[in-house]
Amino acid sequence: MDIVRIPLGEWIEGGLNWLTSEYSVVTRSISHFTKIGINSLNDGLMWLPQWALLAMIVLLCWRVSSYRLGIGAALGLALIWNLGLWDPMIETLTLVVIATLVAVAFALPVGIAAALSERLYRLSMPILDFMQTMPAFVYLIPAIPFFGIGSVSAIFATVIFSMPPAIRFTTLGIRQVPVELIEAADAYGATRSQKLFKVQLPLSLPTLMAGINQTIMLALSMVVIAAMIGADGLGSEVWRAIQRLRPGDGFEAGIAVVILAMLLDRLTQSLRRSRR
């Protein structure tokens, strides 16, 4: 018995074609301004001498966390510099920073709204489950028709891929605020906005920082994968090593990715502990 095949792929492809044709002006504008932001941050970081930027990062790690993290950052960044991967590391850091800022800017309002509305919470959770279980490579597919090959498509795919943890942790943090404190705020006549900004958000800040930490880690992993669609950085070094069958170069770039990931992770965890 033959079963009629649902043309799901054709529907999705047709929808993407319609969106790219109808909103090409919008996507071109977004691509233009995003490219300006990427180039400006890249040029600013690369304008600084390597030793000066290294010293600034080490000082930041020491002030935010401890001297141990400062020493580890100095050794790790010195190794990246010695391997000749400083510029790709800066390009990767630029993409991660921009993608994280955009993802958090979208995720915080959505997470707050989902925490305050039970209906929106029930609607958003299955969508977030779907987004988090979708393979990372799939997010590269719609990025290309919208923004073409390059770093802008990488930013688009990275933002979509890394947003769910920030939304989840924002919602979780606000919903876990003790009911007694909410009732105390109500008893003192606090408005809804006062309860949000003076009670719920400050008390949920450590959980929010955990969500931002996860967003940064996912953004870094996606930026590396996005080298397949022309994104610059350490991911392109790994991809180039695979294409040229140079395992040594690939491992060097991979070690640089690990160092950058550990540095960002320790920094955000230190900020989370200080906020707690």
Side-chain angles (χ1 to χ4, degrees):
M1 180 178 178
D2 294 332
I3 300 176
V4 178
R5 182 181 181 275
I6 300 175
L8 183 59
E10 296 176 7
W11 293 344
I12 295 174
E13 186 174 351
L16 288 176
N17 292 334
W18 180 80
L19 288 173
T20 53
S21 61
E22 291 294 325
Y23 298 97
S24 58
V25 176
V26 177
T27 56
R28 280 199 298 266
S29 300
I30 294 174
S31 178
H32 175 70
F33 286 109
T34 306
K35 195 67 177 177
I36 291 176
I38 293 172
N39 292 336
S40 300
L41 187 55
N42 259 335
D43 294 341
L45 292 176
M46 290 185 181
W47 175 79
L48 292 170
Q50 287 91 336
W51 61 267
L53 183 57
L54 190 151
M56 292 171 60
I57 296 174
V58 170
L59 181 61
L60 175 65
C61 295
W62 173 59
R63 295 289 295 177
V64 170
S65 180
S66 64
Y67 73 92
R68 295 185 182 87
L69 183 60
I71 294 174
L75 295 176
L77 293 175
L79 178 60
I80 293 175
W81 187 5
N82 180 262
L83 295 176
L85 297 172
W86 187 266
D87 288 351
M89 186 270 293
I90 294 297
E91 292 170 344
T92 299
L93 182 61
T94 298
L95 296 178
V96 171
V97 168
I98 294 177
T100 301
L101 291 176
V102 175
V104 171
F106 280 105
L108 285 180
V110 175
I112 292 171
L116 301 179
S117 172
E118 186 66 27
R119 182 178 299 177
L120 184 58
Y121 174 77
R122 293 180 179 178
L123 176 65
S124 61
M125 288 303 107
I127 298 175
L128 295 177
D129 292 337
F130 175 82
M131 293 175 66
Q132 288 189 285
T133 52
M134 181 69 70
F137 293 96
V138 178
Y139 289 101
L140 303 178
I141 298 174
I144 298 174
F146 279 121
F147 303 105
I149 301 295
S151 298
V152 178
S153 294
I155 293 290
F156 173 81
T158 303
V159 167
I160 301 300
F161 179 70
S162 61
M163 247 196 315
I167 298 175
R168 282 188 183 277
F169 278 83
T170 301
T171 304
L172 178 66
I174 294 176
R175 290 173 70 92
Q176 284 185 338
V177 173
V179 180
E180 293 80 5
L181 296 178
I182 303 298
E183 293 175 349
D186 290 331
Y188 280 99
T191 63
R192 191 169 184 177
S193 60
Q194 287 174 333
K195 284 191 296 184
L196 176 63
F197 290 104
K198 295 186 177 182
V199 178
Q200 293 170 306
L201 284 179
L203 289 175
S204 61
L205 196 56
T207 307
L208 297 184
M209 292 302 301
I212 294 174
N213 175 271
Q214 293 300 308
T215 299
I216 292 174
M217 293 298 101
L218 288 178
L220 181 57
S221 66
M222 191 63 185
V223 163
V224 174
I225 296 173
M228 299 176 61
I229 58 173
D232 298 323
L234 294 171
S236 64
E237 298 294 325
V238 176
W239 183 241
R240 192 177 298 114
I242 293 173
Q243 291 177 319
R244 297 177 181 178
L245 296 178
R246 294 182 176 177
D249 294 345
F251 272 100
E252 288 180 353
I255 291 171
V257 172
V258 171
I259 292 172
L260 183 59
M262 293 178 62
L263 183 59
L264 293 174
D265 179 63
R266 297 299 186 273
L267 273 174
T268 51
Q269 285 188 6
S270 299
L271 287 173
R272 178 188 175 191
R273 286 194 294 269
S274 65
R275 291 300 180 184
R276 185 181 296 278

